[in-house]
Amino acid sequence: MSDELLTRHHDGGAAACAQAAKGLPAPPSLHTLIVTCMDARIDPVALFGIRPGEAHVLRNAGGIVTDDVVRSVTISQRELGTRTVYVVQHKGCGLATFTDPEFVAKLESECGAAPEWAPGSFADPVESVRAGVQRLQDSPFTVQDMVVTGFVLDLETFELEPV
């Protein structure tokens, strides 16, 4: 999709978005935050049936609980009152197709430098979700009364499998 086409899509939907968000407070009304993969096939709004103002959504490659995710969850909890966190990864994720050392070597070869961040590849989404849930639970910055639930999404059926 070109920038022009994307801009046209935005122009066509901006009024509806503005109307849906009008008057809503910043804290999500369901006190919920969803961490998921950036995979374009995943629509967290449709997947969970949420509406504007109901939940925060954090997306990154793999739905990995990184330092920045812990930062965002902490701010969401301590400043905006969220208490429920869903960590959602999926079967067939691109992060399962390479290893961190392979990707870092590729970047060093192509870019002349290694990244300061870990790519976050994983072989098993169940284990990766468990690790992400545990990282949030172990963080000294997240609130103690939060409920963290992990899921693996099947992109064929869109069933959520609890972890």
Side-chain angles (χ1 to χ4, degrees):
M1 179 180 285
S2 71
D3 288 344
E4 182 181 314
L5 185 56
L6 188 62
T7 301
R8 247 185 298 147
H9 279 251
H10 171 263
D11 291 346
C17 288
Q19 185 61 35
K22 187 176 185 173
L24 293 176
S29 64
L30 296 178
H31 309 287
T32 299
L33 183 144
I34 301 163
V35 178
T36 194
C37 185
M38 67 183 191
D39 189 305
R41 297 169 291 180
I42 300 171
D43 179 355
V45 171
L47 185 64
F48 289 100
I50 54 177
R51 294 184 306 260
E54 291 185 331
H56 287 156
V57 178
L58 304 176
R59 297 181 71 153
N60 66 24
I64 304 297
V65 177
T66 62
D67 287 346
D68 195 56
V69 167
V70 173
R71 171 189 157 271
S72 294
V73 169
T74 301
I75 292 167
S76 177
Q77 290 178 334
R78 297 196 177 269
E79 295 298 319
L80 297 164
T82 57
R83 291 297 182 265
T84 301
V85 179
Y86 296 149
V87 177
V88 183
Q89 294 180 13
H90 65 95
K91 294 179 180 179
C93 184
L95 283 182
T97 64
F98 59 86
T99 66
D100 281 13
E102 291 169 345
F103 191 71
V104 168
K106 180 180 179 179
L107 291 176
E108 286 178 321
S109 172
E110 293 176 6
C111 305
E116 296 177 10
W117 38 265
S121 64
F122 56 85
D124 180 4
V126 171
E127 289 304 314
S128 183
V129 167
R130 284 186 182 139
V133 167
Q134 192 65 53
R135 183 167 186 194
L136 288 171
Q137 291 172 332
D138 290 348
S139 173
F141 306 111
T142 56
V143 297
Q144 297 303 305
D145 64 338
M146 73 175 161
V147 175
V148 185
T149 306
F151 297 96
V152 173
L153 176 65
D154 183 326
L155 287 180
E156 303 252 337
T157 64
F158 277 83
E159 293 293 320
L160 285 167
E161 300 169 11
V163 172

Short mmCIF file of all heavy atoms in Angstrom, two decimals, residues 43-110:
data_model
loop_
_atom_site.label_atom_id
_atom_site.label_comp_id
_atom_site.label_asym_id
_atom_site.label_seq_id
_atom_site.Cartn_x
_atom_site.Cartn_y
_atom_site.Cartn_z
N ASP A 43 -5.78 -8.68 14.50
CA ASP A 43 -6.53 -7.46 14.82
C ASP A 43 -6.99 -7.60 16.26
O ASP A 43 -8.03 -8.21 16.53
CB ASP A 43 -7.72 -7.30 13.87
CG ASP A 43 -8.54 -6.05 14.17
OD1 ASP A 43 -8.25 -5.35 15.17
OD2 ASP A 43 -9.47 -5.78 13.40
N PRO A 44 -6.22 -7.06 17.22
CA PRO A 44 -6.58 -7.25 18.63
C PRO A 44 -7.94 -6.66 18.99
O PRO A 44 -8.62 -7.14 19.88
CB PRO A 44 -5.45 -6.58 19.40
CG PRO A 44 -4.63 -5.85 18.42
CD PRO A 44 -5.00 -6.29 17.05
N VAL A 45 -8.35 -5.61 18.29
CA VAL A 45 -9.65 -5.01 18.55
C VAL A 45 -10.76 -6.01 18.23
O VAL A 45 -11.66 -6.27 19.03
CB VAL A 45 -9.81 -3.69 17.76
CG1 VAL A 45 -11.22 -3.16 17.84
CG2 VAL A 45 -8.81 -2.65 18.26
N ALA A 46 -10.68 -6.62 17.05
CA ALA A 46 -11.68 -7.61 16.66
C ALA A 46 -11.55 -8.89 17.48
O ALA A 46 -12.55 -9.49 17.88
CB ALA A 46 -11.56 -7.92 15.17
N LEU A 47 -10.32 -9.31 17.74
CA LEU A 47 -10.06 -10.55 18.46
C LEU A 47 -10.71 -10.55 19.84
O LEU A 47 -11.29 -11.55 20.27
CB LEU A 47 -8.55 -10.78 18.58
CG LEU A 47 -8.10 -12.09 19.21
CD1 LEU A 47 -8.52 -13.27 18.34
CD2 LEU A 47 -6.58 -12.08 19.37
N PHE A 48 -10.62 -9.42 20.53
CA PHE A 48 -11.17 -9.33 21.88
C PHE A 48 -12.49 -8.57 21.93
O PHE A 48 -13.08 -8.40 23.01
CB PHE A 48 -10.15 -8.70 22.83
CG PHE A 48 -9.00 -9.61 23.13
CD1 PHE A 48 -7.80 -9.46 22.48
CD2 PHE A 48 -9.14 -10.64 24.04
CE1 PHE A 48 -6.73 -10.31 22.74
CE2 PHE A 48 -8.09 -11.50 24.31
CZ PHE A 48 -6.88 -11.33 23.66
N GLY A 49 -12.95 -8.06 20.80
CA GLY A 49 -14.22 -7.34 20.77
C GLY A 49 -14.20 -6.07 21.60
O GLY A 49 -15.20 -5.69 22.19
N ILE A 50 -13.05 -5.40 21.60
CA ILE A 50 -12.93 -4.18 22.39
C ILE A 50 -13.29 -2.96 21.54
O ILE A 50 -13.17 -2.99 20.32
CB ILE A 50 -11.53 -4.01 23.01
CG1 ILE A 50 -10.43 -4.09 21.95
CG2 ILE A 50 -11.32 -5.04 24.11
CD1 ILE A 50 -9.03 -3.86 22.47
N ARG A 51 -13.72 -1.93 22.22
CA ARG A 51 -14.07 -0.67 21.56
C ARG A 51 -13.10 0.42 22.02
O ARG A 51 -12.38 0.25 23.01
CB ARG A 51 -15.51 -0.30 21.94
CG ARG A 51 -16.55 -1.28 21.40
CD ARG A 51 -17.97 -0.83 21.71
NE ARG A 51 -18.20 -0.58 23.12
CZ ARG A 51 -18.79 -1.44 23.97
NH1 ARG A 51 -19.22 -2.59 23.54
NH2 ARG A 51 -18.97 -1.12 25.22
N PRO A 52 -13.09 1.55 21.32
CA PRO A 52 -12.21 2.64 21.74
C PRO A 52 -12.42 2.98 23.21
O PRO A 52 -13.57 3.01 23.69
CB PRO A 52 -12.63 3.80 20.83
CG PRO A 52 -13.14 3.14 19.60
CD PRO A 52 -13.84 1.89 20.10
N GLY A 53 -11.32 3.18 23.90
CA GLY A 53 -11.38 3.57 25.30
C GLY A 53 -11.41 2.42 26.28
O GLY A 53 -11.38 2.63 27.49
N GLU A 54 -11.45 1.17 25.79
CA GLU A 54 -11.59 0.04 26.71
C GLU A 54 -10.27 -0.61 27.14
O GLU A 54 -10.18 -1.15 28.24
CB GLU A 54 -12.50 -1.03 26.09
CG GLU A 54 -13.93 -0.59 26.01
CD GLU A 54 -14.86 -1.66 25.53
OE1 GLU A 54 -14.44 -2.56 24.75
OE2 GLU A 54 -16.04 -1.62 25.93
N ALA A 55 -9.23 -0.61 26.28
CA ALA A 55 -7.99 -1.31 26.60
C ALA A 55 -6.81 -0.65 25.92
O ALA A 55 -6.95 -0.05 24.86
CB ALA A 55 -8.09 -2.78 26.18
N HIS A 56 -5.66 -0.80 26.53
CA HIS A 56 -4.41 -0.42 25.88
C HIS A 56 -3.94 -1.62 25.07
O HIS A 56 -4.11 -2.76 25.50
CB HIS A 56 -3.33 -0.08 26.91
CG HIS A 56 -3.55 1.23 27.58
ND1 HIS A 56 -3.03 1.51 28.83
CD2 HIS A 56 -4.23 2.34 27.21
CE1 HIS A 56 -3.37 2.73 29.17
NE2 HIS A 56 -4.10 3.25 28.20
N VAL A 57 -3.31 -1.37 23.93
CA VAL A 57 -2.75 -2.43 23.09
C VAL A 57 -1.31 -2.09 22.77
O VAL A 57 -1.02 -1.02 22.23
CB VAL A 57 -3.56 -2.61 21.78
CG1 VAL A 57 -2.93 -3.69 20.91
CG2 VAL A 57 -5.02 -2.95 22.08
N LEU A 58 -0.41 -3.00 23.11
CA LEU A 58 1.02 -2.86 22.80
C LEU A 58 1.37 -3.93 21.79
O LEU A 58 1.08 -5.11 22.01
CB LEU A 58 1.88 -3.05 24.05
CG LEU A 58 1.59 -2.15 25.25
CD1 LEU A 58 2.49 -2.54 26.41
CD2 LEU A 58 1.81 -0.70 24.88
N ARG A 59 1.98 -3.52 20.69
CA ARG A 59 2.35 -4.48 19.65
C ARG A 59 3.83 -4.35 19.34
O ARG A 59 4.36 -3.24 19.23
CB ARG A 59 1.53 -4.23 18.39
CG ARG A 59 0.05 -4.46 18.63
CD ARG A 59 -0.75 -4.23 17.39
NE ARG A 59 -0.50 -5.32 16.45
CZ ARG A 59 -1.36 -5.70 15.53
NH1 ARG A 59 -2.52 -5.09 15.39
NH2 ARG A 59 -1.08 -6.67 14.71
N ASN A 60 4.49 -5.49 19.19
CA ASN A 60 5.88 -5.51 18.74
C ASN A 60 6.14 -6.85 18.05
O ASN A 60 5.27 -7.72 18.03
CB ASN A 60 6.86 -5.25 19.89
CG ASN A 60 6.88 -6.34 20.95
OD1 ASN A 60 6.53 -7.49 20.70
ND2 ASN A 60 7.29 -5.99 22.15
N ALA A 61 7.31 -7.01 17.49
CA ALA A 61 7.66 -8.26 16.82
C ALA A 61 7.59 -9.40 17.83
O ALA A 61 8.31 -9.41 18.81
CB ALA A 61 9.05 -8.16 16.20
N GLY A 62 6.69 -10.32 17.59
CA GLY A 62 6.55 -11.50 18.44
C GLY A 62 5.67 -11.34 19.66
O GLY A 62 5.36 -12.32 20.31
N GLY A 63 5.29 -10.13 19.99
CA GLY A 63 4.55 -9.94 21.25
C GLY A 63 5.41 -10.23 22.46
O GLY A 63 4.93 -10.67 23.51
N ILE A 64 6.70 -9.97 22.32
CA ILE A 64 7.68 -10.27 23.37
C ILE A 64 7.59 -9.23 24.49
O ILE A 64 7.42 -8.04 24.23
CB ILE A 64 9.11 -10.24 22.77
CG1 ILE A 64 9.24 -11.20 21.60
CG2 ILE A 64 10.17 -10.52 23.81
CD1 ILE A 64 9.03 -12.63 21.95
N VAL A 65 7.74 -9.68 25.72
CA VAL A 65 7.78 -8.76 26.85
C VAL A 65 9.23 -8.26 26.98
O VAL A 65 10.08 -8.90 27.59
CB VAL A 65 7.28 -9.42 28.15
CG1 VAL A 65 7.40 -8.45 29.33
CG2 VAL A 65 5.82 -9.87 27.98
N THR A 66 9.48 -7.13 26.36
CA THR A 66 10.79 -6.49 26.35
C THR A 66 10.87 -5.46 27.49
O THR A 66 9.87 -5.20 28.17
CB THR A 66 11.02 -5.76 25.02
OG1 THR A 66 10.00 -4.74 24.91
CG2 THR A 66 10.94 -6.71 23.83
N ASP A 67 12.03 -4.83 27.63
CA ASP A 67 12.16 -3.74 28.60
C ASP A 67 11.14 -2.64 28.32
O ASP A 67 10.55 -2.09 29.25
CB ASP A 67 13.57 -3.12 28.55
CG ASP A 67 14.64 -4.00 29.14
OD1 ASP A 67 14.31 -4.98 29.84
OD2 ASP A 67 15.83 -3.72 28.89
N ASP A 68 10.92 -2.33 27.05
CA ASP A 68 9.97 -1.26 26.73
C ASP A 68 8.54 -1.67 27.03
O ASP A 68 7.72 -0.84 27.42
CB ASP A 68 10.11 -0.82 25.28
CG ASP A 68 9.40 0.50 25.05
OD1 ASP A 68 9.72 1.48 25.77
OD2 ASP A 68 8.51 0.55 24.20
N VAL A 69 8.22 -2.95 26.88
CA VAL A 69 6.88 -3.42 27.25
C VAL A 69 6.70 -3.30 28.77
O VAL A 69 5.65 -2.82 29.23
CB VAL A 69 6.63 -4.86 26.76
CG1 VAL A 69 5.39 -5.47 27.40
CG2 VAL A 69 6.50 -4.87 25.23
N VAL A 70 7.69 -3.70 29.54
CA VAL A 70 7.60 -3.55 31.01
C VAL A 70 7.41 -2.08 31.35
O VAL A 70 6.58 -1.73 32.20
CB VAL A 70 8.85 -4.14 31.71
CG1 VAL A 70 8.83 -3.82 33.20
CG2 VAL A 70 8.93 -5.64 31.49
N ARG A 71 8.13 -1.20 30.68
CA ARG A 71 7.99 0.24 30.89
C ARG A 71 6.55 0.69 30.61
O ARG A 71 5.93 1.38 31.43
CB ARG A 71 8.96 0.99 29.97
CG ARG A 71 8.79 2.47 29.91
CD ARG A 71 9.67 3.06 28.77
NE ARG A 71 9.15 4.32 28.35
CZ ARG A 71 8.24 4.50 27.39
NH1 ARG A 71 7.74 3.49 26.74
NH2 ARG A 71 7.82 5.71 27.09
N SER A 72 6.01 0.30 29.47
CA SER A 72 4.66 0.72 29.10
C SER A 72 3.60 0.12 30.02
O SER A 72 2.64 0.80 30.39
CB SER A 72 4.38 0.34 27.64
OG SER A 72 5.21 1.08 26.78
N VAL A 73 3.76 -1.14 30.39
CA VAL A 73 2.81 -1.77 31.33
C VAL A 73 2.85 -1.03 32.66
O VAL A 73 1.81 -0.73 33.26
CB VAL A 73 3.11 -3.27 31.51
CG1 VAL A 73 2.32 -3.86 32.67
CG2 VAL A 73 2.82 -4.05 30.23
N THR A 74 4.04 -0.72 33.14
CA THR A 74 4.19 -0.02 34.41
C THR A 74 3.49 1.34 34.38
O THR A 74 2.75 1.70 35.31
CB THR A 74 5.69 0.15 34.76
OG1 THR A 74 6.29 -1.15 34.84
CG2 THR A 74 5.87 0.90 36.06
N ILE A 75 3.68 2.10 33.32
CA ILE A 75 3.02 3.40 33.19
C ILE A 75 1.51 3.22 33.11
O ILE A 75 0.75 3.94 33.78
CB ILE A 75 3.57 4.17 31.98
CG1 ILE A 75 5.03 4.57 32.23
CG2 ILE A 75 2.72 5.40 31.68
CD1 ILE A 75 5.77 5.05 31.01
N SER A 76 1.07 2.25 32.32
CA SER A 76 -0.36 1.98 32.18
C SER A 76 -0.99 1.63 33.53
O SER A 76 -2.09 2.08 33.85
CB SER A 76 -0.57 0.83 31.18
OG SER A 76 -1.92 0.48 31.06
N GLN A 77 -0.29 0.84 34.31
CA GLN A 77 -0.81 0.42 35.61
C GLN A 77 -0.77 1.56 36.63
O GLN A 77 -1.77 1.86 37.28
CB GLN A 77 0.00 -0.76 36.15
CG GLN A 77 -0.22 -2.03 35.38
CD GLN A 77 0.61 -3.17 35.89
OE1 GLN A 77 1.69 -2.98 36.49
NE2 GLN A 77 0.14 -4.38 35.65
N ARG A 78 0.38 2.16 36.77
CA ARG A 78 0.57 3.12 37.85
C ARG A 78 -0.04 4.49 37.58
O ARG A 78 -0.38 5.19 38.53
CB ARG A 78 2.06 3.23 38.19
CG ARG A 78 2.59 1.89 38.70
CD ARG A 78 3.90 2.01 39.39
NE ARG A 78 4.32 0.72 39.90
CZ ARG A 78 4.04 0.27 41.12
NH1 ARG A 78 3.35 1.00 41.95
NH2 ARG A 78 4.48 -0.91 41.51
N GLU A 79 -0.18 4.86 36.31
CA GLU A 79 -0.75 6.17 35.99
C GLU A 79 -2.17 6.11 35.43
O GLU A 79 -2.90 7.09 35.50
CB GLU A 79 0.16 6.90 34.99
CG GLU A 79 1.53 7.24 35.55
CD GLU A 79 1.46 8.19 36.75
OE1 GLU A 79 0.66 9.15 36.73
OE2 GLU A 79 2.22 7.97 37.73
N LEU A 80 -2.56 4.94 34.88
CA LEU A 80 -3.86 4.87 34.21
C LEU A 80 -4.74 3.72 34.70
O LEU A 80 -5.79 3.46 34.14
CB LEU A 80 -3.64 4.78 32.69
CG LEU A 80 -2.96 6.04 32.12
CD1 LEU A 80 -2.41 5.77 30.74
CD2 LEU A 80 -3.93 7.21 32.12
N GLY A 81 -4.29 3.02 35.74
CA GLY A 81 -5.15 2.09 36.45
C GLY A 81 -5.40 0.72 35.86
O GLY A 81 -6.30 0.01 36.32
N THR A 82 -4.61 0.28 34.86
CA THR A 82 -4.86 -1.06 34.35
C THR A 82 -4.42 -2.10 35.37
O THR A 82 -3.48 -1.89 36.15
CB THR A 82 -4.13 -1.31 33.01
OG1 THR A 82 -2.74 -1.08 33.17
CG2 THR A 82 -4.68 -0.42 31.91
N ARG A 83 -5.13 -3.23 35.39
CA ARG A 83 -4.82 -4.30 36.33
C ARG A 83 -4.79 -5.67 35.68
O ARG A 83 -4.30 -6.63 36.26
CB ARG A 83 -5.82 -4.31 37.51
CG ARG A 83 -5.67 -3.12 38.43
CD ARG A 83 -4.31 -3.12 39.10
NE ARG A 83 -4.11 -2.03 40.02
CZ ARG A 83 -3.52 -0.88 39.73
NH1 ARG A 83 -3.09 -0.65 38.49
NH2 ARG A 83 -3.34 0.04 40.63
N THR A 84 -5.33 -5.79 34.48
CA THR A 84 -5.33 -7.06 33.76
C THR A 84 -4.43 -6.93 32.54
O THR A 84 -4.53 -5.95 31.81
CB THR A 84 -6.76 -7.43 33.30
OG1 THR A 84 -7.60 -7.52 34.45
CG2 THR A 84 -6.78 -8.74 32.55
N VAL A 85 -3.54 -7.91 32.36
CA VAL A 85 -2.64 -7.92 31.21
C VAL A 85 -2.79 -9.25 30.49
O VAL A 85 -2.75 -10.31 31.12
CB VAL A 85 -1.16 -7.72 31.64
CG1 VAL A 85 -0.24 -7.74 30.42
CG2 VAL A 85 -0.98 -6.43 32.43
N TYR A 86 -2.97 -9.18 29.17
CA TYR A 86 -2.97 -10.36 28.32
C TYR A 86 -1.70 -10.34 27.49
O TYR A 86 -1.42 -9.33 26.83
CB TYR A 86 -4.16 -10.39 27.37
CG TYR A 86 -5.52 -10.49 28.01
CD1 TYR A 86 -6.61 -9.90 27.39
CD2 TYR A 86 -5.73 -11.16 29.20
CE1 TYR A 86 -7.88 -9.98 27.95
CE2 TYR A 86 -6.99 -11.25 29.77
CZ TYR A 86 -8.05 -10.66 29.14
OH TYR A 86 -9.30 -10.74 29.69
N VAL A 87 -0.93 -11.43 27.52
CA VAL A 87 0.23 -11.60 26.67
C VAL A 87 -0.18 -12.61 25.60
O VAL A 87 -0.49 -13.76 25.92
CB VAL A 87 1.46 -12.09 27.45
CG1 VAL A 87 2.64 -12.33 26.52
CG2 VAL A 87 1.83 -11.10 28.55
N VAL A 88 -0.22 -12.15 24.34
CA VAL A 88 -0.73 -12.99 23.25
C VAL A 88 0.33 -13.12 22.15
O VAL A 88 0.69 -12.13 21.51
CB VAL A 88 -2.01 -12.40 22.64
CG1 VAL A 88 -2.56 -13.31 21.55
CG2 VAL A 88 -3.06 -12.13 23.71
N GLN A 89 0.84 -14.33 21.98
CA GLN A 89 1.71 -14.63 20.85
C GLN A 89 0.97 -15.60 19.95
O GLN A 89 -0.16 -15.99 20.26
CB GLN A 89 3.05 -15.17 21.36
CG GLN A 89 3.81 -14.10 22.14
CD GLN A 89 5.15 -14.58 22.66
OE1 GLN A 89 5.66 -15.63 22.27
NE2 GLN A 89 5.73 -13.81 23.57
N HIS A 90 1.57 -15.99 18.84
CA HIS A 90 0.82 -16.85 17.92
C HIS A 90 1.68 -17.93 17.29
O HIS A 90 2.91 -17.83 17.22
CB HIS A 90 0.16 -16.00 16.82
CG HIS A 90 1.13 -15.30 15.92
ND1 HIS A 90 1.53 -15.83 14.72
CD2 HIS A 90 1.78 -14.11 16.05
CE1 HIS A 90 2.37 -14.99 14.14
NE2 HIS A 90 2.54 -13.94 14.92
N LYS A 91 0.99 -18.97 16.86
CA LYS A 91 1.65 -20.06 16.14
C LYS A 91 2.11 -19.52 14.79
O LYS A 91 1.46 -18.67 14.20
CB LYS A 91 0.68 -21.21 15.92
CG LYS A 91 0.26 -21.89 17.21
CD LYS A 91 -0.73 -23.01 16.93
CE LYS A 91 -1.13 -23.69 18.23
NZ LYS A 91 -2.11 -24.76 17.99
N GLY A 92 3.23 -20.03 14.31
CA GLY A 92 3.73 -19.63 13.00
C GLY A 92 4.35 -18.25 12.97
O GLY A 92 4.44 -17.64 11.92
N CYS A 93 4.79 -17.75 14.11
CA CYS A 93 5.38 -16.42 14.17
C CYS A 93 6.74 -16.39 13.46
O CYS A 93 7.51 -17.35 13.53
CB CYS A 93 5.56 -16.00 15.64
SG CYS A 93 6.17 -14.31 15.84
N GLY A 94 7.01 -15.30 12.80
CA GLY A 94 8.28 -15.12 12.10
C GLY A 94 9.48 -15.17 13.02
O GLY A 94 10.58 -15.51 12.59
N LEU A 95 9.29 -14.85 14.31
CA LEU A 95 10.42 -14.89 15.24
C LEU A 95 10.87 -16.31 15.55
O LEU A 95 11.91 -16.51 16.16
CB LEU A 95 10.08 -14.16 16.54
CG LEU A 95 10.14 -12.64 16.46
CD1 LEU A 95 9.83 -12.01 17.80
CD2 LEU A 95 11.47 -12.15 15.97
N ALA A 96 10.10 -17.29 15.11
CA ALA A 96 10.48 -18.69 15.30
C ALA A 96 11.26 -19.22 14.09
O ALA A 96 11.64 -20.39 14.07
CB ALA A 96 9.25 -19.55 15.54
N THR A 97 11.53 -18.36 13.11
CA THR A 97 12.20 -18.81 11.89
C THR A 97 13.70 -18.53 11.88
O THR A 97 14.37 -18.85 10.91
CB THR A 97 11.55 -18.16 10.65
OG1 THR A 97 11.74 -16.74 10.71
CG2 THR A 97 10.07 -18.48 10.56
N PHE A 98 14.21 -17.91 12.93
CA PHE A 98 15.64 -17.63 13.03
C PHE A 98 16.02 -17.60 14.50
O PHE A 98 15.16 -17.61 15.37
CB PHE A 98 16.00 -16.30 12.35
CG PHE A 98 15.29 -15.10 12.93
CD1 PHE A 98 15.81 -14.41 14.02
CD2 PHE A 98 14.10 -14.65 12.37
CE1 PHE A 98 15.15 -13.32 14.56
CE2 PHE A 98 13.43 -13.54 12.90
CZ PHE A 98 13.96 -12.88 14.00
N THR A 99 17.32 -17.56 14.77
CA THR A 99 17.80 -17.43 16.14
C THR A 99 18.39 -16.04 16.33
O THR A 99 18.75 -15.37 15.35
CB THR A 99 18.89 -18.48 16.47
OG1 THR A 99 20.05 -18.20 15.68
CG2 THR A 99 18.38 -19.90 16.24
N ASP A 100 18.50 -15.63 17.57
CA ASP A 100 19.11 -14.33 17.84
C ASP A 100 20.53 -14.24 17.28
O ASP A 100 20.86 -13.26 16.60
CB ASP A 100 19.11 -14.02 19.34
CG ASP A 100 17.76 -13.53 19.84
OD1 ASP A 100 16.75 -13.64 19.10
OD2 ASP A 100 17.71 -13.05 20.99
N PRO A 101 21.40 -15.25 17.53
CA PRO A 101 22.76 -15.15 16.98
C PRO A 101 22.77 -15.03 15.45
O PRO A 101 23.58 -14.28 14.89
CB PRO A 101 23.44 -16.43 17.45
CG PRO A 101 22.70 -16.81 18.69
CD PRO A 101 21.27 -16.41 18.43
N GLU A 102 21.89 -15.76 14.76
CA GLU A 102 21.83 -15.66 13.29
C GLU A 102 21.45 -14.25 12.85
O GLU A 102 22.06 -13.69 11.95
CB GLU A 102 20.79 -16.64 12.73
CG GLU A 102 21.14 -18.10 12.84
CD GLU A 102 19.97 -19.01 12.52
OE1 GLU A 102 18.80 -18.55 12.48
OE2 GLU A 102 20.22 -20.21 12.33
N PHE A 103 20.45 -13.69 13.50
CA PHE A 103 19.97 -12.37 13.10
C PHE A 103 21.01 -11.29 13.42
O PHE A 103 21.23 -10.39 12.62
CB PHE A 103 18.64 -12.06 13.79
CG PHE A 103 17.96 -10.84 13.24
CD1 PHE A 103 17.40 -10.85 11.97
CD2 PHE A 103 17.87 -9.68 13.98
CE1 PHE A 103 16.78 -9.72 11.44
CE2 PHE A 103 17.25 -8.54 13.48
CZ PHE A 103 16.70 -8.57 12.21
N VAL A 104 21.64 -11.41 14.58
CA VAL A 104 22.68 -10.44 14.94
C VAL A 104 23.85 -10.53 13.96
O VAL A 104 24.37 -9.50 13.50
CB VAL A 104 23.14 -10.65 16.40
CG1 VAL A 104 24.41 -9.85 16.71
CG2 VAL A 104 22.03 -10.26 17.37
N ALA A 105 24.23 -11.74 13.58
CA ALA A 105 25.32 -11.90 12.61
C ALA A 105 24.92 -11.27 11.27
O ALA A 105 25.75 -10.62 10.60
CB ALA A 105 25.67 -13.37 12.43
N LYS A 106 23.68 -11.44 10.87
CA LYS A 106 23.19 -10.85 9.62
C LYS A 106 23.27 -9.32 9.70
O LYS A 106 23.72 -8.66 8.75
CB LYS A 106 21.76 -11.29 9.38
CG LYS A 106 21.13 -10.74 8.12
CD LYS A 106 19.71 -11.26 7.97
CE LYS A 106 19.06 -10.68 6.73
NZ LYS A 106 17.69 -11.17 6.54
N LEU A 107 22.85 -8.75 10.82
CA LEU A 107 22.92 -7.29 10.98
C LEU A 107 24.35 -6.80 10.98
O LEU A 107 24.66 -5.77 10.36
CB LEU A 107 22.20 -6.86 12.26
CG LEU A 107 20.69 -7.01 12.28
CD1 LEU A 107 20.13 -6.65 13.64
CD2 LEU A 107 20.04 -6.17 11.19
N GLU A 108 25.23 -7.53 11.66
CA GLU A 108 26.65 -7.13 11.67
C GLU A 108 27.22 -7.15 10.26
O GLU A 108 27.95 -6.23 9.87
CB GLU A 108 27.45 -8.06 12.58
CG GLU A 108 27.21 -7.81 14.05
CD GLU A 108 27.97 -8.77 14.94
OE1 GLU A 108 28.09 -9.96 14.60
OE2 GLU A 108 28.44 -8.31 16.00
N SER A 109 26.85 -8.16 9.48
CA SER A 109 27.34 -8.28 8.11
C SER A 109 26.76 -7.18 7.22
O SER A 109 27.50 -6.56 6.44
CB SER A 109 26.96 -9.65 7.55
OG SER A 109 27.24 -9.72 6.18
N GLU A 110 25.48 -6.92 7.34
CA GLU A 110 24.82 -5.96 6.46
C GLU A 110 24.96 -4.51 6.91
O GLU A 110 24.97 -3.60 6.08
CB GLU A 110 23.33 -6.31 6.33
CG GLU A 110 23.09 -7.62 5.61
CD GLU A 110 21.64 -8.03 5.55
OE1 GLU A 110 20.76 -7.23 5.98
OE2 GLU A 110 21.35 -9.14 5.09
#
